[in-house]
Every structure is written in structure tokens, then in C-alpha cells.
Amino acid sequence: MVTVADSGKTRASVWLTARPAAPARRRSEAPSGLDRERITAATVRLLDAEGLARFSMRRLAAGLGVTAMSLYWYVDTKHDLLELALDRALGELTLTAGAPEGGWPGRLRALARGYRGLVAKHPWVAPLTAAYPNIGPHARAFDTALQRLLDATGLTDAARTGAHLAVSQFLHGCGGTVRRAPAGDFGLALDVLIAGIEAKAAPGQA
């Protein structure tokens, strides 16, 4: 079983830990038909089906038709798998590189609605985002898209930092209430956030 409380221990991120290559003889003993990509995909499916609290290496292994120990050929801990699954889910987001109609507010609306849809589809994403460093390649791409969006606002220095914090907290915070807050309320909150950034970006205010 995994709970958010498990995240309280200090541990290295899977994205910062290089796994030493296994000797050729031991590689030949690894379970056939498995790789990290397949295991990560199965982790996402299990989390979607049963939730974060019921996730375990035994359940995952059973779904793959292997022993739990087989999984440790590819990851060191269950937390590695949860980090990998989190970044895989974030890879489902559509990150707009250009400037669609509506400028940066339109891009922010698309980003926020996309993230809201993601956490509705994968409810376990929100608690894992709070529990882990969230520094995988898709998470970094997401933050890059957000940084480019904020570049378009014209904000600088403290105002830019404050806007980044406000948007980040809004996006990650909305994950915890996405199933309770009606779409209209979410849209109104997003309107208020955008209006606040526009006010700070107005001439003489940024």
C-alpha cells in the first residue's frame, strides 16, 4: 500500500539516480518481456484502476504476470515507479508552443484546463505532484511552457516571480478539488487569476 505519508522520508529522485549497469550474465537472467517502459505503463493503469492507496509492487507484478522481485531488475523502489508514472501522465498534456488567439491569457486557459482534465483522468497525479520533486522530462517541459507563457506577459522581477508562484499554486491546487468544483467555478477562479496578472502587467504596474 502507498499513501502520501510515505513521501515524508528523504530519498533520491529516480531522475537523479543513475542505476549501474548489470553484468552481462545477470542481464541474461532478467525476466523476458519486461522493460521500464512497460512497467511504467502498467503502473499508470493500476493507479487509474485502484488508486494510490492500494498500489503495491505485488499488485503490479500480478497484473504483469511476474513475481514482485522481477520488477527490481528495472527500478530500485516503488517510489521510483510512482515518479516515473507521474511524469508519464504529465506527458499527456498538450503544450502549446505558439501564440493562439487570445495571446498569453488564451494559452494560460488552455494550460489550466488541460491540467484540470489530466487530474480528473488520473486523480493520483495531484498527491504525487505534492509528494515528489516532479523533475522528470515531461514535468520540465510543462514548466518550460509555463515560463514562456509568463515571458509573454511582460512581467519582470518580483512581479514575474509572484505570477509564476500564483499560477503554479493554482494549477496544482486545483487538482485536489477538481471533482468537487463545478467547471463554472473553476473558470471564474481562472478569470480572477488572469485579471490579476493583467493588472500587474499594465503600464506602470509591472
Side-chain angles (χ1 to χ4, degrees), residues 7-78:
S7 65
K9 298 179 181 179
T10 301
R11 57 182 172 272
S13 168
V14 67
W15 302 109
L16 300 177
T17 305
R19 302 188 83 233
R25 181 182 63 80
R26 291 192 62 210
R27 287 200 300 269
S28 69
E29 299 168 0
S32 61
L34 280 186
D35 56 37
R36 182 177 276 197
E37 180 68 16
R38 182 184 172 198
I39 294 170
T40 301
T43 299
V44 170
R45 291 195 298 271
L46 182 59
L47 288 167
D48 285 345
E50 300 193 7
L52 181 59
R54 289 176 57 82
F55 177 82
S56 72
M57 298 296 269
R58 287 177 182 268
R59 289 177 181 275
L60 178 63
L64 288 167
V66 300
T67 65
M69 289 305 298
S70 300
L71 303 177
Y72 293 104
W73 283 93
Y74 305 96
V75 293
D76 291 330
T77 69
K78 66 185 177 185

Side-chain angles (χ1 to χ4, degrees), residues 72-164:
Y72 293 104
W73 283 93
Y74 305 96
V75 293
D76 291 330
T77 69
K78 66 185 177 185
H79 295 288
D80 287 355
L81 274 178
L82 293 176
E83 279 197 86
L84 291 168
L86 172 60
D87 200 66
R88 183 184 178 93
L90 291 174
E92 297 176 16
L93 285 169
T94 299
L95 302 178
T96 304
E101 183 177 354
W104 70 259
R107 290 164 61 189
L108 178 52
R109 291 181 196 282
L111 192 68
R113 289 168 180 158
Y115 192 86
R116 184 175 189 265
L118 179 73
V119 295
K121 180 180 178 182
H122 305 298
W124 47 272
V125 162
L128 290 189
T129 297
Y132 292 110
N134 210 12
I135 54 175
H138 291 120
R140 294 198 305 270
F142 178 80
D143 191 63
T144 297
L146 176 56
Q147 295 288 359
R148 289 175 177 168
L149 186 158
L150 291 173
D151 286 342
T153 68
L155 292 175
T156 59
D157 303 326
R160 163 64 180 268
T161 300
H164 184 271

Side-chain angles (χ1 to χ4, degrees), residues 164-175:
H164 184 271
L165 180 61
V167 173
S168 296
Q169 289 186 339
F170 176 82
L171 293 178
H172 298 315
C174 78

